[in-house]
Amino acid sequence: MKAIRAIAVNTFKEAVRNKILYSLIFFAFSMMLISLVLDQATVGQRNKIIKDMGLGSINLFGVIIAIVVGINLVYKEIEKRTIYPLLAKPVKRSHFLIGKYFGILLTLAVETLLMSVFLFLLILVYEGTFDPFLLIALFTIFIEVSVISALAIFFSSFSTPFLSGMFTFALYVIGHLTEYLKKFGADSGNALLEWVTTFLYYLLPNLERFNMKEAAVYHLPVESGRILLSVTYGLFYIATVMLLSILCFDRRDFK
Amino acid sequence: MGVQLKNLRFTTLYTWIVVFSLALGTVLSLNILQKYQTKSTEFLLYLPSGKNLKPIALGYNQMLADLLWIKTVSYFGSHFMTDKEYPWLFHILTLIIDLDPRFDFPYYFGGIVLSLEGSQAENANKILEKGIEAYPNKWEYPFYIGFNLYYHLGDPLKAAPYIEQASLLPGAPQFTKTLAGTLYEKSGKNNAALEFYRGVYNNTANEIVREKVANRIKDLVAKREKDDARN
């Protein structure tokens, strides 16, 4: 446990030192500020645009950070050969990977928190109120980026950063289309195709389950069961992917 | 040392001249390029329908709808100031509504502007029908459909049920309660008008409306009796 904590804290420190992270956060802030300009160029429901752009920026840049940081962490350790002295110590490979994952989560949590505070301040200045509904969307965005990070770690446990990035991004895109995939199979009338699409539906991450931006912006009622089940689904998916990552990483030869 | 400094200054000056020339070239070429630029909204023609665009939006459909909405406002503004023709307004509004059905301003905008400014009352009503789907409790959308049908398309018979629907929704102004009956009467459907007025009379607490409706009921009953006696 101590080893996991030490690796997580170290990963966080390493990520914080990364200049790419700052530039991404800067772009997210800029996008949120742009919403103020866009807001002036429109008519009707102006606050909505600020909230949509804010949540969209936090989500988009959260995903980019999760992929960029996630795919490089393990690879860097191997490339710089810093993994050898680490694994020579009584640190299991699984602990190393879990520590790395928690490190990314900590980075993403801080980044999401920073951007959320900025968004809330913008809304407070513009609208004069605090909108607690946005917290639901921000929380589920964090779960979504946590799933993306787990996938990035999984691919980077056996592949190069470029390929890991491509695979993770592809899964991010497909993750928003799985409902359509299932519907496509069900509408096809072909039993085999329906079986294949249903199988893929459960295998691939269903990231639309974490999309509660609409409910948050329009103040639509969200059942607590829906949030709880989305979190449970996310945790199960992350645990499965991390276990597979550990299996791959355990068998990896570092020669 | 002096020669070196002179050379350095010359090089710096030379570099600045090159930078300035390149920047000038950039501005000039961009200026000329603007002549070849297609109309800013034309790219929207190549966008698929909102329902197909939604999966591609990857969960950012609201953000995309906002950007398209800003584009719509600028499209409307530029054509309002020039030719007052809006051939793509309906298409853009449909995209926005399909991407973000809860965004209510495009329904109002489409429902009113398409019919009043664009002479596209049928398209305006298509937008408003979607508005009723998204917000079944808003009286404005069926009311605008009724208005478009009566005022722009000259069909009081089709307009009356929409006004009736609007009059039954929360927040509907009192005048809608008599307007539907008037439209039924105008289209020669006195029995429907009578039925509607009786419904309003029994369900409205407002005394002014009840009095007006009672008078209309009296007139219609008298007219019916007269017709029956004649037949």
Side-chain angles (χ1 to χ4, degrees):
Chain A
M1 199 65 196
K2 256 187 179 177
I4 292 174
R5 207 168 74 182
I7 293 167
V9 171
N10 236 25
T11 307
F12 173 69
K13 282 180 183 168
E14 196 184 327
V16 166
R17 280 195 290 264
N18 193 340
K19 284 189 182 72
I20 297 170
L21 188 80
Y22 290 107
S23 55
L24 287 171
I25 292 174
F26 170 77
F27 276 117
F29 283 162
S30 308
M31 256 182 92
M32 282 192 246
L33 283 173
I34 283 169
S35 68
L36 291 179
V37 181
L38 291 178
D39 171 69
Q40 296 301 313
T42 187
V43 284
Q45 286 177 293
R46 291 179 155 179
N47 302 341
K48 172 196 177 301
I49 291 176
I50 297 177
K51 288 174 190 174
D52 282 343
M53 293 288 281
L55 289 177
S57 309
I58 293 171
N59 195 344
L60 182 68
F61 286 95
V63 169
I64 296 173
I65 290 170
I67 296 176
V68 169
V69 177
I71 56 169
N72 277 312
L73 282 178
V74 179
Y75 183 78
K76 262 187 195 169
E77 296 276 0
I78 297 166
E79 199 192 39
K80 289 180 181 171
R81 295 173 189 276
T82 43
I83 197 165
Y84 298 109
L86 201 66
L87 294 180
K89 286 177 183 172
V91 176
K92 285 182 183 173
R93 286 188 182 196
S94 57
H95 289 174
F96 170 78
L97 218 57
I98 293 167
K100 284 278 171 198
Y101 180 66
F102 280 124
I104 298 175
L105 281 197
L106 192 62
T107 314
L108 286 168
V110 171
E111 167 260 337
T112 311
L113 192 74
L114 268 175
M115 292 201 276
S116 305
V117 168
F118 189 71
L119 177 64
F120 279 117
L121 279 174
L122 268 186
I123 296 167
L124 194 70
V125 169
Y126 198 83
E127 208 176 78
T129 53
F130 171 74
D131 190 352
F133 276 84
L134 299 185
L135 289 170
I136 305 166
L138 290 166
F139 178 63
T140 47
I141 284 172
F142 179 69
I143 304 289
E144 182 184 349
V145 293
S146 305
V147 172
I148 299 291
S149 307
L151 288 168
I153 289 259
F154 169 67
F155 288 120
S156 68
S157 68
F158 61 84
S159 187
T160 60
F162 177 74
L163 284 176
S164 304
M166 294 290 279
F167 293 148
T168 314
F169 181 70
L171 278 188
Y172 169 66
V173 173
I174 299 165
H176 282 280
L177 303 171
T178 49
E179 296 280 353
Y180 298 96
L181 192 72
K182 196 183 171 195
K183 197 176 174 299
F184 169 72
D187 292 346
S188 70
N190 183 328
L192 181 69
L193 189 64
E194 195 178 341
W195 186 87
V196 171
T197 50
T198 310
F199 173 74
L200 287 173
Y201 174 77
Y202 288 108
L203 178 76
L204 299 165
N206 188 338
L207 301 175
E208 271 300 307
R209 292 278 149 234
F210 308 117
N211 185 4
M212 295 193 189
K213 294 194 279 286
E214 188 185 4
V217 172
Y218 291 112
H219 294 185
L220 302 176
V222 184
E223 305 91 334
S224 51
R226 185 183 159 197
I227 302 171
L228 200 72
L229 273 174
S230 300
V231 175
T232 313
Y233 167 70
L235 291 178
F236 270 120
Y237 203 90
I238 290 167
T240 314
V241 172
M242 283 309 292
L243 207 65
L244 286 172
S245 312
I246 291 165
L247 283 174
C248 290
F249 197 63
D250 264 342
R251 284 155 201 262
R252 189 162 173 174
D253 195 354
F254 290 120
K255 274 177 194 172
Chain B
M1 189 71 181
V3 176
Q4 266 182 351
L5 197 68
K6 209 174 174 181
N7 277 346
L8 189 71
R9 274 182 191 159
F10 180 74
T11 314
T12 312
L13 183 73
Y14 181 72
T15 312
W16 273 112
I17 289 168
V18 171
V19 167
F20 182 73
S21 309
L22 288 172
L24 195 71
T26 311
V27 173
L28 282 174
S29 55
L30 186 67
N31 224 11
I32 298 163
L33 204 61
Q34 271 175 353
K35 287 179 190 167
Y36 296 93
Q37 203 174 354
T38 51
K39 280 187 179 175
S40 57
T41 46
E42 277 179 6
F43 86 96
L44 288 160
L45 312 182
Y46 308 109
L47 284 174
S49 79
K51 286 203 167 67
N52 295 326
L53 199 61
K54 208 169 179 176
I56 307 166
L58 302 176
Y60 301 99
N61 33 326
Q62 283 164 258
M63 215 161 103
L64 195 59
D66 292 345
L67 295 173
L68 285 173
W69 173 241
I70 291 162
K71 199 84 192 160
T72 309
V73 173
S74 105
Y75 171 79
F76 174 74
S78 62
H79 284 268
F80 183 76
M81 300 301 281
T82 54
D83 57 4
K84 291 198 187 286
E85 280 186 13
Y86 316 95
W88 303 110
L89 191 59
F90 174 66
H91 176 61
I92 311 170
L93 285 169
T94 313
L95 282 178
I96 297 167
I97 288 163
D98 287 341
L99 279 170
D100 189 359
R102 289 249 147 213
F103 193 4
D104 66 356
F105 209 76
Y107 297 121
Y108 291 105
F109 187 80
I112 297 168
V113 168
L114 271 175
S115 56
L116 282 176
E117 283 293 329
S119 307
Q120 298 174 44
E122 274 157 3
N123 283 341
N125 283 358
K126 280 182 195 164
I127 299 261
L128 290 164
E129 289 281 3
K130 290 188 179 200
I132 296 175
E133 258 176 58
Y135 291 98
N137 285 325
K138 281 201 173 184
W139 67 270
E140 290 94 334
Y141 303 145
F143 177 77
Y144 293 150
I145 294 179
F147 174 78
N148 287 338
L149 282 167
Y150 175 62
Y151 186 76
H152 294 287
L153 300 169
D155 194 342
L157 186 61
K158 277 187 183 167
Y162 284 102
I163 302 291
E164 184 180 349
Q165 188 187 340
S167 73
L168 300 171
L169 291 171
Q174 296 297 341
F175 73 86
T176 55
K177 301 201 187 306
T178 51
L179 187 62
T182 312
L183 289 173
Y184 278 127
E185 279 184 63
K186 278 199 174 182
S187 51
K189 297 281 176 187
N190 286 349
N191 284 341
L194 197 60
E195 200 180 311
F196 175 73
Y197 284 137
R198 280 177 177 153
V200 173
Y201 187 80
N202 293 329
N203 296 307
T204 309
N206 189 309
E207 279 309 314
I208 302 165
V209 175
R210 275 171 75 93
E211 199 185 315
K212 275 187 186 174
V213 167
N215 287 337
R216 290 307 308 146
I217 292 171
K218 248 187 228 170
D219 289 349
L220 282 171
V221 169
K223 201 180 171 191
R224 193 161 71 177
E225 280 168 359
K226 213 174 169 182
D227 288 346
D228 287 349
R230 201 182 293 159
N231 293 329

